[in-house]
Amino acid sequence: MQRKQISIFLGFFLVSLLIQCEKPTAPVGLTDGRVLLLTGAVTRNGEPLAVDATVKQGDQIETGDASSAEIVFAKGLIMRLGANTKAVLDLQASQVQLNKGWFAAVKNANEQKLEVVTPTAVAAVRGTSLCMKVESETSTYACTCNGTVHFHADGIAEEAVTAAEHSAIRFVKEGESVKKEEAGLEFHDNAGIETLAKKIDHPLDWTKPSK
């Protein structure tokens, strides 16, 4: 009788483990960020932003002419917002809502999720680095600088773009649909991405995609 009870217990235990293993992994949210560098006029929720300030869930960061901001997060993630940029930080969802302007990010290859949402496309960073520029409400430039980035848009299936040294796409909205166009190296260069990478001690190798 006792053996039967033990067998039943073990059976329930194993089933419980299997169910837990099948559950999807919850997204890894971003921690609060720290402002590493500022140039020009940069605001958070309409108020001037300062170096070493903490950015939190829901903050809207906006930069003016000839202005920029660099924000660093735990687990080796740094992002840079260029001039005339407006972005909202949804840290709980590990997302940056890039409404207009220029954005670049470098991250270590780990479980940390990062998505960049623009009016015409969404980028999910899996590898090391990317650059995006919202040119207008109907056009977004997106470059996998090094590593792998997954892109998708309305009417376009998700596509993984892997590159050792820059592979760019332009997403253009025409009516209710979005189309992809090949693009070249625009709005950024190796030196700028390398500068970001060094600030999180993550050297880049332009001869092979980072994993």
Side-chain angles (χ1 to χ4, degrees):
M1 185 69 178
Q2 188 174 8
R3 285 185 179 180
K4 185 176 181 180
Q5 289 176 335
I6 293 173
S7 297
I8 293 173
F9 172 77
L10 289 174
F12 279 121
F13 178 73
L14 290 172
V15 169
S16 175
L17 283 179
L18 288 172
I19 292 173
Q20 290 179 16
C21 290
E22 289 176 358
K23 290 181 179 179
T25 303
V28 180
L30 291 170
T31 61
D32 293 345
R34 180 175 66 87
V35 178
L36 192 64
L37 181 69
L38 292 175
T39 59
V42 182
T43 62
R44 175 183 56 190
N45 305 326
E47 299 293 331
L49 190 60
V51 172
D52 284 332
T54 300
V55 294
K56 297 180 177 293
Q57 168 67 20
D59 280 351
Q60 177 174 288
I61 311 298
E62 190 166 1
T63 65
D65 295 338
S67 303
S68 64
E70 291 180 6
I71 304 170
V72 66
F73 297 83
K75 297 184 179 178
L77 169 62
I78 186 170
M79 58 181 67
R80 180 180 175 88
L81 307 179
N84 299 309
T85 294
K86 182 182 291 185
V88 178
L89 305 180
D90 186 348
L91 303 184
Q92 293 175 357
S94 299
Q95 284 186 348
V96 176
Q97 179 77 45
L98 184 64
N99 296 317
K100 71 171 186 177
W102 183 95
F103 174 92
V106 178
K107 67 180 286 291
N108 288 326
N110 53 38
E111 79 283 3
Q112 180 64 65
K113 173 186 173 185
L114 174 64
E115 286 189 343
V116 185
V117 182
T118 77
T120 53
V122 177
V125 187
R126 299 290 187 266
T128 301
S129 56
L130 87 159
C131 172
M132 300 187 78
K133 166 77 170 177
V134 176
E135 301 169 305
S136 70
E137 290 184 358
T138 58
S139 180
T140 296
Y141 171 89
C143 180
T144 301
C145 301
N146 179 270
T148 300
V149 179
H150 293 245
F151 297 102
H152 67 88
D154 288 341
I156 298 177
E158 181 174 306
E159 176 185 4
V161 178
T162 299
E165 187 176 4
H166 307 290
S167 178
I169 306 170
R170 182 169 276 108
F171 294 88
V172 181
K173 187 172 184 179
E174 294 183 344
E176 296 301 318
S177 62
V178 177
K179 69 175 185 178
K180 293 187 302 181
E181 299 176 352
E182 291 186 6
L185 183 59
E186 304 174 40
F187 309 117
H188 68 303
D189 55 23
N190 285 9
I193 299 299
E194 288 171 0
T195 297
L196 283 180
K198 288 177 182 177
K199 292 181 179 182
I200 58 170
D201 297 320
H202 187 66
L204 295 176
D205 183 350
W206 296 111
T207 66
K208 60 184 180 181
S210 185
K211 296 180 179 180

